[in-house]
Amino acid sequence: MKHYKIAVLAGDGIGPEITQEAIKVLKVIEERNAVKFELAPALFGACAYFETGDAFPQATQDICDQADAILKGPIGLSHEQSKQIPIDKQPERGALLPMRRRYNTYANFRPVSLPKSLAHFSPLKPEIIGEGIDLVIVRELVGGLYFGDKEMGVNDKGLRYVRETLEYDEEQIRRIMHEAFKLARKRRKLLHNIHKSNVLKSSVLWNEVMEEVALEYPDVEVVNFLVDAAATALCLKPTQFDVMVMENMFGDILSDQGGGILGSLGLMPSACIGPDVAYYEPSHGSAPDIAGKNIANPYSMIGSVAMMLENSFDMEREAKNVWAAMQGVFADGYSTADLSRPGSGVTMISTVEFGDKVVEKLRQMPKV
Ligand code: IPM
Ligand code: MG
């Protein structure tokens, strides 16, 4: 019997509700396999700040340090509520970025996937979706503007000013490139390199290093794409993409656009992988406006579990079953509120019902 310890950080807003559904799925995986998951819940985000004065308290860090993998819900408050917390203690700056830094989770994988059968969820026309959307955004997660030096103050003209630095060294670029090329090699052998080298020098170095790394992967075709053009192309012809690699900030923005072309950010799970530790989280925020209403879509959280099974526990087959179970629920004509447009003919179900249906489907699948 394999035994894994998972730190479970439910987070804020809809976090606890969707985490509950992800836990249900983990329990079914235990029933179906010779595996035991020891779940270690811990406070993280605004909830942790209000309870302990720290959004990523030491006790949570200890639990995460000892875990085999970390499952993290969304964090954060509404724009207005955030103002109750000092800027540097707010959950994003006080918990999420320190988590990424602590575990050096430089490689962030964000699948943007919609089979043809679910094309009706997308705002894009069926002829644009064709046989379905299936791409992965590979986002560098611990460099660039997010982590560069920052300064705020008053300049010699007496004006308030701010300065943030976008910094990368070649090693940071090289390691994310290797991740992207390796993934491309496992898929369509096509890599879109997203950059802005017509303006940013950081992109000039980025592309230089990309070309060096590309020599090691002659079987992978590289297509260079400016980030602004990529934003348009994601709407007009998303099927041209397979693996897209980009720096931190570009990846933040384009991955949300990925959710947009699918029809909901609720369809965006992710894996954040470092040299020793990986954590798994939805790409979206904590949606405080719909928290506690049992209407949030748990897909991204359950999908993050699927990514954990595959990447951290070598359970690729069960990961596939989890994806198939979720898609099966959609294919049966059900969906959560975010995807039930008026007139779409789908039956709206709650967060809990979605989780229950996924579990039911999973139980019916042949064991591995
Ligand atoms: C994401 C989120 C975070 C980011 C926020 C919450 C800091 O938007 O994971 O995409 O900007 O990286
Ligand atoms: Mg984001």
Side-chain angles (χ1 to χ4, degrees), residues 4-42:
Y4 297 114
K5 200 180 236 183
I6 305 175
V8 179
L9 319 179
D12 303 317
I14 58 170
E17 305 162 57
I18 60 176
T19 301
Q20 243 358 82
E21 303 315 304
I23 289 175
K24 275 190 205 163
V25 169
L26 281 169
K27 299 274 174 220
V28 181
I29 301 295
E30 279 183 327
E31 284 168 22
R32 292 166 49 83
N33 298 273
V35 65
K36 171 88 193 117
F37 299 122
E38 184 188 333
L39 305 181

Side-chain angles (χ1 to χ4, degrees), residues 27-222:
K27 299 274 174 220
V28 181
I29 301 295
E30 279 183 327
E31 284 168 22
R32 292 166 49 83
N33 298 273
V35 65
K36 171 88 193 117
F37 299 122
E38 184 188 333
L39 305 181
L43 288 170
F44 187 77
C47 56
Y49 173 79
F50 290 127
E51 188 114 356
T52 70
D54 191 350
F56 189 14
Q58 188 59 50
T60 301
Q61 295 181 23
D62 293 344
I63 287 174
C64 291
D65 287 353
Q66 285 153 24
D68 296 301
I70 301 165
L71 182 64
K72 185 203 139 283
I75 50 138
L77 298 170
S78 68
H79 187 71
E80 278 313 308
Q81 279 179 317
S82 281
K83 292 181 185 161
Q84 302 166 15
I85 305 184
I87 288 185
D88 287 323
K89 298 234 167 204
Q90 288 169 4
E92 296 81 356
R93 266 179 294 262
L96 186 54
L97 299 187
M99 159 92 98
R100 290 177 182 171
R101 189 182 293 117
R102 182 174 185 83
Y103 299 116
N104 196 13
T105 52
Y106 65 90
N108 180 209
F109 298 92
R110 299 193 156 180
V112 181
S113 166
L114 195 74
K116 188 180 180 180
S117 58
L118 305 181
H120 55 284
F121 288 150
S122 171
L124 302 183
K125 295 196 172 78
E127 58 269 31
I128 290 182
I129 294 173
E131 290 306 302
I133 301 174
D134 181 21
L135 61 96
V136 182
I137 291 181
V138 180
R139 169 185 179 194
E140 198 293 325
L141 200 61
V142 295
L145 280 172
Y146 276 61
F147 290 91
D149 282 344
K150 295 167 195 294
E151 189 178 280
M152 270 177 114
V154 178
N155 67 14
D156 14 343
K157 289 187 230 138
L159 300 174
R160 283 173 298 162
Y161 81 99
V162 63
R163 185 177 56 78
E164 318 210 46
T165 345
L166 201 177
E167 209 176 320
Y168 274 106
D169 68 30
E170 57 180 308
E171 188 43 45
Q172 285 176 297
I173 304 172
R174 193 170 294 120
R175 64 186 183 179
I176 190 70
M177 283 301 168
H178 278 294
E179 297 293 338
F181 274 104
K182 279 193 264 170
L183 181 64
R185 198 168 245 181
K186 282 200 242 157
R187 295 173 48 106
R188 275 169 51 196
K189 299 191 167 46
L190 173 64
L191 176 62
H192 280 78
N193 173 46
I194 309 302
H195 67 96
K196 185 74 186 173
S197 70
N198 53 352
V199 176
L200 300 179
K201 287 205 172 164
S202 53
S203 283
V204 173
L205 179 64
W206 179 272
N207 291 353
E208 241 174 67
V209 175
M210 187 280 298
E211 281 174 21
E212 291 159 16
V213 175
L215 297 174
E216 294 177 47
Y217 303 85
D219 52 324
V220 175
E221 182 193 349
V222 175

